[in-house]
Amino acid sequence: MGERLGGALMSAVIAVRGLAVERGERAVLADVSFTLAASERLLVDGASGAGKSTLLHALLGFVPRAAGRIELLGRDCAAEADFAAMVVTVDQPVS
């Protein structure tokens, strides 16, 4: 997968298309889409309860998706086992 940016073909490290997460009957995330190349960063900003942590948890496979596709290095991460082989999380103590 690649997208053109300034005429150059950029390879996406992560690509999210139409991501949706529900908690019970409530839609927490709906139709979230973005791509990030290796040199790019993403800032997720919002009020408390806006879905920032839910987005991260969905990307890591910690919460189920109601819809959408997540690709990491061009590979569809449909199962939690896919993420386990490619993702490491490090908790930071709060002082």
Side-chain angles (χ1 to χ4, degrees):
M1 169 182 271
E3 293 189 19
R4 294 223 172 257
L5 180 63
L9 186 62
M10 304 271 303
S11 183
V13 171
I14 186 166
V16 177
R17 298 283 182 247
L19 177 64
V21 175
E22 297 173 349
R23 298 262 169 100
E25 297 294 317
R26 182 175 168 248
V28 180
L29 299 175
D31 198 26
V32 175
S33 298
F34 62 89
T35 54
L36 290 175
S39 62
E40 296 178 307
R41 304 293 180 263
L42 174 68
L43 170 67
V44 180
D45 188 25
S48 179
K52 301 176 300 291
S53 295
T54 300
L55 173 61
L56 179 60
H57 291 159
L59 294 175
L60 294 172
F62 296 163
V63 296
R65 293 177 264 160
R69 179 179 177 97
I70 300 171
E71 291 183 1
L72 186 57
L73 300 172
R75 197 169 135 209
D76 184 17
C77 296
E80 288 182 29
D82 291 335
F83 284 102
M86 296 186 284
V87 175
V88 175
T89 60
V90 178
D91 292 328
Q92 180 178 353
V94 178
S95 51

